């Protein structure tokens, strides 16, 4: 995972340096993958957009809850607050994942 992240940073900075910017081909997408699907209706696209936006918001809430759970952890003991934040983090993670999986996908 570190290698992918480092490669993305390298390509981002090199693309900015030469002024060309990143293209979808640089990110590994084929022409077929980025071609618009004419059968995917506007209503489906709006629903997908809504689901993926909700996925992002719940993912950020999960990150905040996870950070709070780590901040309330005490060495060798489990406080009620820490346990509650742990359960909340798990529930938020499941909710965020479900929005990503349930978003309508364009047919390939």
């Amino acid at each position: 995972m570190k290698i992918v992240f480092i490669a993305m940073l390298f390509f981002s900075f090199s693309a900015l340096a030469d002024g060309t910017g990143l293209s979808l081909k640089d990110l590994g997408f084929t022409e077929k993958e980025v071609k618009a699907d004419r059968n995917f209706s506007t209503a489906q696209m709006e629903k997908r957009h809504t689901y993926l936006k909700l996925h992002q918001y719940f993912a950020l809430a999960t990150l905040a809850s996870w950070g709070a759970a780590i901040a309330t952890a005490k060495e060798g003991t489990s406080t009620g607050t820490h346990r509650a934040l742990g359960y909340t983090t798990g529930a938020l993670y499941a909710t965020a994942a479900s929005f990503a999986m349930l978003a309508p996908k364009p047919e390939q």
Side-chain angles (χ1 to χ4, degrees):
M1 193 65 174
K2 282 184 179 180
I3 294 173
V4 172
F5 181 71
I6 292 170
M8 287 174 53
L9 282 176
F10 173 75
F11 285 119
S12 298
F13 288 129
S14 64
L16 290 174
D18 66 9
T20 59
L22 283 175
S23 70
L24 292 173
K25 185 178 178 185
D26 294 337
L27 298 174
F29 292 101
T30 64
E31 189 71 32
K32 183 181 177 185
E33 291 174 324
V34 297
K35 188 175 157 188
D37 183 8
R38 304 223 185 269
N39 296 327
F40 201 60
S41 71
T42 304
Q44 287 176 311
M45 188 61 79
E46 288 175 4
K47 185 176 181 181
R48 178 174 172 78
H49 181 269
T50 301
Y51 274 44
L52 295 179
K53 275 296 196 192
L54 287 169
H55 163 71
Q56 287 179 331
Y57 294 141
F58 276 102
L60 290 173
T62 302
L63 182 62
S65 178
W66 181 48
I70 290 172
T72 60
K74 302 233 190 302
E75 185 94 19
T77 62
S78 177
T79 63
T81 304
H82 176 70
R83 188 175 301 131
L85 284 168
Y87 289 138
T88 303
T89 301
L92 286 169
Y93 182 83
T95 304
S98 67
F99 275 116
M101 290 187 284
L102 295 175
K105 294 173 183 54
E107 297 298 323
Q108 292 295 335

